[in-house]
Amino acid sequence: MGSSPAVEIRGLRKEYGDTVAVDGLDLVVPRGATYALLGPNGSGKTTTIRTLLRIQEPDAGEVRVLGEKPGPGVRDRIGYLPEERGLYPRMKVREVLTFLAELKGMAPRDSRPRIDGWLDRVDLSERADDRVQTLSKGMQQKLQFVAAVVHEPELVILDEPFSGLDPINQQALREIVAEIRRSERTILFSTHIIEHAERLCDHVCILSHGRAVVEGEVGRVKREHGGRHVGLTLDPWTPEAVAAVRAAPEVARVHQDGHAIELSLADGADPRALLARLVQGGVGLIRFEVVEPSLHQVFIERVGSRPIEEGALV
Amino acid sequence: MNRSRTWTIVKREFLATTRTKGFLLGTLFGPAIMAGWILLPALFTDSGGTRDVVVIDGTRTDLGEAVAEQLTRDSEEMAFAARVVAPPPGAADSVRAEMAARTAAGEIDGYVWLPPGLPAGESASYEARHATNMREVRSVRSAVDDAVRQSRLRAAGIDPSTLSEALRPTPFEAREVTAEGHGAAASGEAMIMTAIIAVFVIYFIILLYGNSVLRGVREEKENRVVEIVLSSIRAEQLMAGKVFGIGGACLLQVAIWVAVAALVAAFGEDIVRSIGGQPPTLPNLPLSAAFIYVAFFAGGFFLYASIYAALGSLATSGQDAQNMQFAAMVPLMVAFFMAFGVMNDPESRLAVVASLIPFTSLIVVPLRAILGAIPWPQTLLAAVLLALTCWGTLWIAGRIYRVTVLATGQRPSLRRLWRWVRAS
């Protein structure tokens, strides 16, 4: 049982009326992985997660979670932080955590010490007897995160966990995620921010229109799907030099960030031929290196240049 | 295992409902109304003491004596001490002025002025310190009226006692016959009063707590807490927990009311007598009727609460929820108004049909049981039909809840909703 993948999805399909939210999705999340579901809004991430938790039933396909069909038998072994957060505003902090832990099968006497430990960990001990509605939005988010992990689940599903958090709390949350990762539990992480996926995850699935366009271990995905890339720095930087780079037949796409330029090579193009062409053309270079593509570039290669969300491409 | 998770929801909903100020006020409200019903009339009966009045008889007949006699006769309404002053001709105005001054000084409570033209139709008057006291004025008016009427009868050669004997009302009592025997006199009227109160309680409690279920579902949906809860339990469990939790709070409140009513029935008469009041006739309610009342009340609550829960999950905004609320109110209002038709004839065809329709039986069956007008086979059939409908409604509502509670945006059409429910 322990050797089965944490999540296994085959041919998942889910429609809402005339809209296809998930369209024949296949993916495998290995045990102990930190797995990113990456995709634009509306690409099917949340629907996929809800299917794993059996909050929604699939129209077709097969889903197994921790070796079992989604349902009562496996729910207690999963922790879930939904994207759209909310708690009972009139309940007290400790009370709401006790209630949610009880729904996961923990008796109040067992959950109490763990709840106190977690509240201490996220600096909410002093607010334990306050009503949820008196907490700030960031505090409520931390509280909900605690609710997702307090019963020590084997699989932690975090849907956009960093949205709405200030940088300090983002860092605190990243550290807790790293700690969960070290305890060899599986983290399934849905995000539309590529940097988070790249920094925290070892596996990735890029979703587009309800389908997995790329899926697997991050390094392999980059190698196999990112194309070949060259990073270069111009000196002196002139518009003519940039134009010469763009016009080279070996170059397929150019991504410019100040004086640094990253470019994707055209199919079959030799980076040495490009270097020779630029030097012969009088372009001043102080850096020319073949680089591993970023997930961002993989995304652009596989999904297109449509931004995931305004401001999300970093 | 699953049952214990539903129990967790039941506990939360029960505590969330009973810990509110509204619940406390509502719980006190019932006993306050009952106390008011029993005690206030008793207190009013005793208010004011004996009125000391003077009858100024300007008619120069025996009308003044007759009025005084009528006033001082034993009355349940109010006690008077009256004496007659017959002013000599031309002195009436000065006597009236003197009595007005004595009234203002508080030496007497007031005076009745019988003008010379009273037998011919001139208006009598009562000038007093408490002339706005309805019962006091009613007593004086009635005394003057009776005295003048008797005087006219005598003038017409009719003996007032003969007429009074002929017009004496025939005694009539409505007694409820129960398995235990005959009830007290007037228990039939008390029973009808009880039935009316019982109908009101069912109607308002279901309306109140049904709305509370709808509001709770809508709030969970709006603040998105529902998603985290649904990652641990099925939607049907959440809905059932909510309905039973809020239902439990509702039953607790009604149980407190019933307990207070039982205490009132047991000790109310003694308490009212001890403060010198006249106790109202209390109904002789058979235990079986109380049992039927509680059973149909609970069944009806779960029936309507599950409908309210499903409607709450469909609502996409506050305005939408209000419209939904109205949709659920319609059958309940029909049942409520039907109850008054049934009360006129509790064994009519309307009564039988309304007893077998579960959406109306929750009110009509307990009503007929209180009035002692429903045979046991009908009660049992109505109970089975209500239980089956309850189960079916909980099932369908659970499905609707599951497919709609996470939906946002436009509300689905009925056709699409039915497709979702069948597919889920």
Side-chain angles (χ1 to χ4, degrees):
Chain A
M1 192 67 94
S3 60
S4 59
V7 175
E8 197 172 2
I9 294 175
R10 300 282 172 221
L12 179 67
R13 186 176 173 85
K14 180 72 188 175
E15 296 171 15
Y16 298 110
D18 301 328
T19 309
V20 180
V22 181
D23 185 12
L25 177 66
D26 294 316
L27 66 82
V28 175
V29 179
R31 294 256 183 177
T34 304
Y35 192 104
L37 271 181
L38 190 61
N41 289 340
S43 59
K45 302 188 297 289
T46 298
T47 300
T48 303
I49 288 172
R50 285 177 177 173
T51 311
L52 297 179
L53 293 156
R54 213 179 157 198
I55 294 174
Q56 283 173 332
E57 299 286 344
D59 295 331
E62 199 172 323
V63 177
R64 295 192 88 77
V65 182
L66 301 170
E68 293 183 38
K69 282 190 171 173
V74 77
R75 274 187 178 128
D76 294 353
R77 297 157 65 197
I78 307 174
Y80 177 43
L81 175 71
E83 179 185 8
E84 293 189 77
R85 321 215 204 288
L87 291 164
Y88 293 102
R90 284 181 288 275
M91 282 180 95
K92 291 177 180 169
V93 167
R94 188 183 280 118
E95 213 173 65
V96 80
L97 289 175
T98 308
F99 166 70
L100 293 172
E102 204 175 337
L103 285 183
K104 289 291 186 188
M106 284 185 85
R109 65 176 174 279
D110 298 331
S111 63
R112 175 74 190 239
R114 283 200 209 172
I115 287 169
D116 287 347
W118 272 106
L119 286 178
D120 194 34
R121 177 83 195 272
V122 297
D123 294 329
L124 284 174
S125 292
E126 288 179 6
R127 309 297 300 268
D129 294 317
D130 291 350
R131 290 190 194 280
V132 170
Q133 64 193 1
T134 64
L135 302 186
S136 71
K137 202 177 165 197
M139 286 176 178
Q140 290 192 27
Q141 200 161 332
K142 286 197 286 186
L143 189 59
Q144 200 153 6
F145 180 82
V146 172
V149 295
V150 74
H151 59 294
E152 294 189 354
E154 292 168 54
L155 170 64
V156 182
I157 300 176
L158 307 172
D159 198 353
E160 303 285 0
F162 299 107
S163 69
L165 282 183
D166 60 46
I168 294 170
N169 280 319
Q170 281 198 23
Q171 180 55 32
L173 197 57
R174 264 198 288 270
E175 284 168 16
I176 295 172
V177 169
E179 194 179 300
I180 296 172
R181 193 178 173 184
R182 280 196 294 278
S183 67
E184 296 190 346
R185 285 183 278 159
T186 311
I187 302 172
L188 177 60
F189 186 27
S190 152
T191 184
H192 64 271
I193 300 179
I194 299 175
E195 188 198 26
H196 287 149
E198 183 137 39
R199 199 188 288 188
L200 289 169
C201 300
D202 44 46
H203 286 70
V204 66
C205 173
I206 296 178
L207 288 173
S208 177
H209 301 294
R211 287 173 171 272
V213 289
V214 169
E215 200 251 334
E217 191 263 320
V218 171
R220 188 173 60 77
V221 163
K222 284 180 175 178
R223 282 194 301 280
E224 291 180 5
H225 300 283
R228 289 169 311 141
H229 294 263
V230 168
L232 50 85
T233 306
L234 302 175
D235 189 26
W237 185 93
T238 61
E240 293 77 22
V242 175
V245 172
R246 287 186 187 278
E250 292 84 1
V251 174
R253 259 186 302 274
V254 174
H255 178 70
Q256 193 179 342
D257 186 8
H259 282 203
I261 290 175
E262 270 192 45
L263 46 86
S264 307
L265 293 175
D267 285 344
D270 183 351
R272 283 170 300 188
L274 173 64
L275 178 60
R277 183 186 301 280
L278 293 178
V279 170
Q280 280 167 15
V283 175
L285 290 168
I286 55 168
R287 182 175 71 96
F288 184 98
E289 59 178 337
V290 177
V291 293
E292 188 184 54
S294 63
L295 272 182
H296 177 204
Q297 284 158 336
V298 174
F299 190 90
I300 300 292
E301 290 282 336
R302 302 298 301 180
V303 180
S305 57
R306 182 165 67 99
I308 291 178
E309 188 177 79
E310 212 59 50
L313 285 176
V314 286
Chain B
M1 177 71 96
N2 284 340
R3 191 171 296 157
S4 77
R5 306 298 158 90
T6 310
W7 178 240
T8 305
I9 302 286
V10 170
K11 267 192 310 187
R12 198 207 84 81
E13 295 296 335
F14 180 82
L15 291 174
T17 309
T18 53
R19 278 178 184 173
T20 57
K21 285 193 189 108
F23 183 83
L24 183 69
L25 288 176
T27 307
L28 296 176
F29 180 72
I33 290 282
M34 278 183 250
W37 179 46
I38 300 287
L39 294 175
L40 288 183
L43 292 172
F44 281 139
T45 313
D46 196 36
S47 70
T50 303
R51 297 282 191 259
D52 185 10
V53 298
V54 171
V55 180
I56 308 172
D57 187 358
T59 64
R60 310 181 70 79
T61 63
D62 59 353
L63 263 177
E65 291 297 336
V67 169
E69 191 191 324
Q70 290 286 344
L71 275 176
T72 49
R73 185 182 289 174
D74 251 3
S75 159
E76 279 186 10
E77 278 230 271
M78 196 155 230
F80 285 89
R83 62 206 160 77
V84 182
V85 174
D93 286 346
S94 64
V95 172
R96 284 178 69 190
E98 184 200 337
M99 292 306 161
R102 288 183 65 190
T103 303
E107 291 171 31
I108 56 170
D109 287 301
Y111 68 93
V112 184
W113 164 238
L114 307 178
L118 180 68
E122 197 179 341
S123 175
S125 64
Y126 177 54
E127 298 187 22
R129 292 196 297 143
H130 308 286
T132 51
N133 183 322
M134 297 288 283
R135 285 185 307 133
E136 186 173 328
V137 172
R138 197 165 54 225
S139 298
V140 174
R141 178 194 302 211
S142 153
V144 173
D145 203 25
D146 283 353
V148 172
R149 194 181 298 129
Q150 287 183 17
S151 156
R152 283 179 189 153
L153 284 170
R154 271 193 294 271
I158 303 166
D159 180 7
S161 60
T162 310
L163 187 73
S164 154
E165 179 59 25
L167 294 177
R168 181 165 51 86
T170 310
F172 180 84
E173 285 174 1
R175 286 173 191 253
E176 182 66 12
V177 178
T178 64
E180 290 88 34
H182 290 271
S187 73
E189 277 174 31
M191 210 62 106
I192 290 170
M193 197 60 209
T194 307
I196 291 172
I197 293 171
V199 165
F200 270 95
V201 167
I202 296 184
Y203 177 74
F204 284 111
I205 287 281
I206 289 185
L207 211 58
L208 193 72
Y209 282 89
N211 281 332
S212 168
V213 171
L214 186 141
R215 204 172 47 244
V217 170
R218 194 171 63 82
E219 278 173 9
E220 268 180 1
K221 186 176 168 172
E222 261 176 18
N223 68 24
R224 310 305 297 172
V225 69
V226 70
E227 186 157 0
I228 194 166
V229 176
L230 290 185
S231 71
S232 302
I233 54 166
R234 284 185 295 118
E236 290 89 336
Q237 284 177 283
L238 174 58
M239 197 196 83
K242 193 169 269 301
V243 168
F244 286 106
I246 296 177
C250 161
L251 287 178
L252 171 70
Q253 192 165 64
V254 173
I256 292 171
W257 292 359
V258 169
V260 172
L263 287 174
V264 166
F267 304 110
E269 285 191 24
D270 293 343
I271 294 171
V272 171
R273 282 207 177 87
S274 73
I275 59 169
Q278 184 69 30
T281 309
L282 296 170
N284 185 15
L285 192 67
L287 201 63
S288 59
F291 175 75
I292 290 170
Y293 182 80
V294 172
F296 275 77
F297 177 82
F301 175 84
F302 294 127
L303 177 66
Y304 275 94
S306 54
I307 294 173
Y308 272 106
L311 292 175
S313 72
L314 273 167
T316 52
S317 66
Q319 180 61 44
D320 208 22
Q322 275 187 349
N323 297 339
M324 298 280 185
Q325 213 166 301
F326 185 72
M329 266 175 74
V330 171
L332 195 60
M333 280 167 72
V334 169
F336 183 68
F337 288 116
M338 237 178 205
F340 291 95
V342 171
M343 229 176 282
N344 282 335
D345 183 358
E347 281 162 294
S348 63
R349 188 172 293 169
L350 169 78
V352 175
V353 172
S355 300
L356 299 180
I357 298 171
F359 293 94
T360 53
S361 70
L362 77 157
I363 284 182
V364 173
V365 173
L367 171 69
R368 292 178 66 201
I370 291 169
L371 298 174
I374 185 165
W376 270 107
Q378 247 182 60
T379 309
L380 288 177
L381 180 59
V384 170
L385 290 174
L386 178 61
L388 286 175
T389 312
C390 228
W391 182 83
T393 311
L394 269 169
W395 187 84
I396 293 176
R399 293 291 172 112
I400 292 175
Y401 187 82
R402 174 139 71 105
V403 295
T404 55
V405 78
L406 284 171
T408 50
Q410 213 178 359
R411 179 151 39 93
S413 65
L414 275 179
R415 203 168 146 196
R416 174 167 289 179
L417 184 64
W418 178 238
R419 219 172 57 215
W420 287 357
V421 169
R422 278 177 54 198
S424 69

